[in-house]
Amino acid sequence: SEWAAVFHSASCVGTLLDRLCHKVEIVEIAGESWRLKEANERTSRRRSRPPKPPG
């Protein structure tokens, strides 16, 4: 839905995505994702912190 703010019409977006994906190759990487690991660590740190006092 946010593509419409950048491009003039939905057909422009469709054409752009079609051209970008035309000869794409998907590379599957085995192993642990460090981004997912860090995101999980940030989430667990937020949950373990005591709530801030109002003010």
Side-chain angles (χ1 to χ4, degrees), residues 31-51:
E32 186 178 346
S33 167
W34 62 269
R35 289 182 179 161
L36 181 59
K37 178 184 171 189
E38 288 182 352
N40 289 336
E41 287 173 359
R42 281 192 304 271
T43 302
S44 65
R45 276 185 268 161
R46 281 189 214 134
R47 290 181 182 163
S48 64
R49 275 194 244 157

Side-chain angles (χ1 to χ4, degrees), residues 3 7 9-10 12 15-16 20 23 26 30 34 40 42 44 49-51 55:
W3 287 101
F7 297 98
S9 67
C12 285
T15 302
L16 174 69
L20 286 173
K23 291 189 176 184
I26 297 173
W34 62 269
N40 289 336
R42 281 192 304 271
S44 65
R49 275 194 244 157

Side-chain angles (χ1 to χ4, degrees), residues 1-10 13 17:
S1 65
E2 294 177 17
W3 287 101
V6 178
F7 297 98
H8 300 290
S9 67
V13 176
L17 292 175

